[in-house]
């Protein structure tokens, strides 16, 4: 599949923020994501899901992991959005207009990772955003619905 489902209301910045996090989690800070990788601590996949999610997402393919992300993102950000900022929820997340902010919000409220990686996640989000903006220009295609989803959807 080379595009996001029409029901996903994510803008370009939010997608870049999510991909920036994935670049840190399983891409070695590059767009060469390795969705089937386990960390030495037992975390798995695109978002390096913890052992608590292993019964639902461990040893699954990219398509399943992306669907799992879609299925869990609203709950996770609504529940843990306050870790990003007071009153922050999924609606706030999908309204962000900066990839660095989206990366940090995703890191704090979905990934809930250590703060030492926040800078890398934000930088990777910008790399992802810039890459796909250029790709869009080269393909003479509006970022629109083809967006960054070609990497993992």
């Amino acid at each position: 599949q080379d595009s996001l489902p029409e029901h996903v209301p994510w803008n370009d910045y939010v997608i870049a923020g999510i991909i920036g996090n994935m670049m840190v989690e399983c891409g070695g800070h590059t767009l060469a994501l390795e969705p089937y990788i386990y960390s030495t601590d037992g975390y798995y996949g695109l978002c390096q899901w913890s052992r608590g999610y292993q019964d639902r997402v461990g040893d699954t393919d990219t398509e399943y992991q992306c669907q799992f992300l879609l299925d869990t993102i609203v709950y996770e950000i609504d529940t843990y959005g306050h870790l990003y900022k007071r009153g922050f929820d999924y609606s706030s997340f999908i309204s962000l207009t900066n990839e660095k902010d989206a990366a940090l919000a995703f890191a704090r409220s979905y990934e809930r990772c250590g703060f030492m990686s926040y800078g890398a996640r934000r930088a990777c989000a910008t790399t992802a955003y810039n890459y796909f903006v250029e790709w869009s220009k080269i393909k003479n295609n509006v970022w629109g619905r083809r967006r960054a989803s070609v990497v993992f959807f």
Side-chain angles (χ1 to χ4, degrees):
Q1 182 175 344
D2 67 348
S3 63
L4 285 170
E6 291 298 317
H7 68 278
V8 177
W10 299 344
N11 64 40
D12 307 337
Y13 303 106
V14 169
I15 292 169
I18 293 170
I19 291 175
N21 274 273
M22 290 177 177
M23 290 168 67
V24 171
E25 294 288 347
C26 72
H29 299 218
T30 72
L31 285 164
L33 303 180
E34 296 183 41
Y36 306 110
I37 194 168
Y38 273 96
S39 74
T40 56
D41 295 326
Y43 297 98
Y44 177 76
L46 291 169
C47 292
Q48 289 293 283
W49 283 281
S50 69
R51 288 182 207 91
Y53 293 99
Q54 292 299 315
D55 61 330
R56 294 185 285 165
V57 76
D59 295 322
T60 59
D61 64 18
T62 304
E63 184 177 345
Y64 183 90
Q65 290 180 54
C66 290
Q67 188 60 53
F68 185 78
L69 173 63
L70 290 171
D71 292 345
T72 58
I73 194 167
V74 174
Y75 171 80
E76 296 291 334
I77 293 180
D78 279 351
T79 302
Y80 299 103
H82 68 277
L83 298 174
Y84 176 63
K85 69 165 93 169
R86 177 181 227 152
F88 191 80
D89 61 9
Y90 178 74
S91 179
S92 305
F93 177 67
I94 65 172
S95 299
L96 292 171
T97 58
N98 177 289
E99 76 281 358
K100 290 178 188 272
D101 293 341
L104 185 57
F106 190 79
R108 287 186 174 172
S109 59
Y110 190 89
E111 293 283 359
R112 299 185 299 282
C113 55
F115 71 91
M116 296 296 289
S117 66
Y118 290 168
R121 291 166 191 274
R122 295 177 75 184
C124 285
T126 297
T127 298
Y129 181 82
N130 290 338
Y131 177 84
F132 289 106
V133 166
E134 287 304 311
W135 177 84
S136 178
K137 289 177 188 174
I138 290 167
K139 292 292 189 179
N140 194 24
N141 186 4
V142 176
W143 178 265
R145 283 288 170 210
R146 279 184 64 88
R147 303 189 290 210
S149 57
V150 295
V151 168
F152 63 95
F153 282 94

